[in-house]
Structures are given as C-alpha cells and as structure tokens.
Amino acid sequence: MTKAENRAAAKAYHEERMRKLEEEAEAERVKADLAELDRLRRYLIFGRQARRGGDREKLMNAIDDYVGEMTGDRTRLHAKNHKCG
C-alpha cells in the first residue's frame, strides 16, 4: 500500500468511526429525551395537579406528537398491554 492509499484508508476509517460515534451519541440523547418525556407524561396522567387542568390532553398530545417525530412511533411512551401469569 502506498503512502497516499494508506492516508486515504486512514481518513475513511476515521470518518466512519466518527459517524458511528455520532450515531451512538444521538441514540443516547434520544433515549434521555424519551425518559424525561415519559416522566412528564406520567406526571400528567397520575399527578394530583393534572386532574384540575383542562390542558392536560393538549400537553399529552403534544408530547406524543414530539415522540412520533423523534422515533416514528407516536405511541412509544404509552403503556403496553401485558399478561400476568
């Protein structure tokens, strides 16, 4: 391998590695955002103050819309049905 080929290969490797690191960092940011949004959504559903406000449904729909933009699945934070026993 010539010096120029080696440099090109090293540059391509570095760019691919940086791309993967950026993807992983973005996945971690999305995961953290989803956790915070889930916490806020649960507060709106189960919190004592949530029952008074008429904007609760609007806020929950806004959260669901934002989650849908981030993940492509608007119902990602919704409780999933599960069976016991």
Side-chain angles (χ1 to χ4, degrees):
M1 195 180 260
T2 66
K3 196 177 212 183
E5 290 172 335
N6 192 19
R7 284 184 184 153
K11 184 178 178 182
Y13 174 77
H14 176 72
E15 288 173 354
E16 181 64 21
R17 181 161 181 190
M18 295 308 290
R19 185 188 64 78
K20 285 183 180 179
L21 287 175
E22 283 296 320
E23 284 179 2
E24 291 172 2
E26 179 64 20
E28 287 297 317
R29 285 190 292 268
V30 167
K31 185 177 177 181
D33 285 348
L34 287 175
E36 286 299 313
L37 289 169
D38 186 43
R39 201 172 66 109
L40 175 59
R41 191 173 191 283
R42 288 180 188 276
Y43 173 76
L44 289 173
I45 292 171
F46 300 115
R48 290 189 328 153
Q49 302 295 326
R51 288 175 179 74
R52 288 191 225 164
D55 294 331
R56 182 174 76 105
E57 289 297 320
K58 290 179 187 176
L59 287 171
M60 287 177 43
N61 284 333
I63 290 170
D64 290 342
D65 291 342
Y66 184 63
V67 168
E69 286 180 24
M70 285 183 6
T71 64
D73 180 13
R74 188 175 189 279
T75 62
R76 177 101 181 234
L77 298 179
H78 293 202
K80 306 295 182 208
N81 292 335
H82 62 278
K83 295 182 178 179
C84 295

